[in-house]
Amino acid sequence: MPLTLRPAVPADLTDCALFFAEIFNGEPWNEAWTREDAHQRLSDCMATPHFLGLIAEDGAEIVAMAFGFSQRYQDQWHYNLLEFCVAAHRQKEGIGTRLLEELHARLQADGVARIYALTARDTPAQQFYEKCGFYLSPKMILMARRY
């Protein structure tokens, strides 16, 4: 069955949350997402103004997803890619690249000037984003503070 790329809609939330938790609880991330936490995270993403999420499906199976939102910055629109994942058993097939290319095409058509992605340093994810044309921003850094 051919791969289908389509916008994420609220009816996808439960399936996306299960997929998300499965991916990020596995290698190399080894995080501890519960079904409820993943559902809340993706629900919050979807509720963000100017949300755009895409899903890649092989038949009825979700094999990749991208969730984020656009926001105005001076005279431009910028897209913040909040969550992106590809099923572990489907990586290296070009699915993630195809999903990012579709996202890029939709964002360009909407006049978005930049895409920002946050990921773990020195990981296969960083290498993937660099292969897809992303670069380490010389102007921006991530700052954090613990409580």
Side-chain angles (χ1 to χ4, degrees):
M1 189 164 273
L3 192 67
T4 304
L5 303 178
R6 64 173 180 80
V9 296
D12 295 317
L13 188 54
T14 298
D15 290 339
C16 285
L18 292 171
F19 176 73
F20 176 88
E22 177 184 323
I23 298 305
F24 286 105
N25 288 344
E27 293 290 333
W29 309 109
N30 300 310
E31 295 177 348
W33 288 94
T34 65
R35 179 182 305 175
E36 295 78 19
D37 290 340
H39 191 278
Q40 184 66 57
R41 169 70 177 158
L42 298 183
S43 177
D44 290 348
C45 290
M46 283 186 159
T48 304
H50 308 289
F51 167 78
L52 174 61
L54 296 179
I55 295 172
E57 293 176 313
D58 189 353
E61 177 188 15
I62 296 174
V63 294
M65 58 177 261
F67 275 35
F69 68 96
S70 295
Q71 68 184 81
R72 193 76 176 173
Y73 186 81
Q74 295 181 24
D75 64 342
Q76 299 179 336
W77 284 92
H78 294 177
Y79 181 83
N80 294 284
L81 181 59
L82 299 174
E83 299 298 348
F84 183 90
C85 52
V86 178
H89 69 282
R90 299 299 300 270
Q91 291 179 6
K92 308 265 189 239
E93 294 181 22
I95 294 170
T97 301
R98 188 166 160 209
L99 186 59
L100 271 184
E101 287 172 352
E102 177 66 20
L103 179 64
H104 177 77
R106 288 174 186 246
L107 292 171
Q108 268 196 316
D110 288 343
V112 172
R114 295 183 190 274
I115 301 175
Y116 291 106
L118 176 66
T119 195
R121 187 182 308 270
D122 301 323
T123 63
Q126 179 182 343
Q127 295 165 7
F128 168 75
Y129 285 120
E130 288 172 343
K131 180 188 77 138
C132 291
F134 287 73
Y135 58 89
L136 293 174
S137 175
K139 291 183 178 182
M140 305 295 284
I141 61 170
L142 174 67
M143 303 290 294
R145 180 177 173 182
R146 290 184 186 227
Y147 292 98

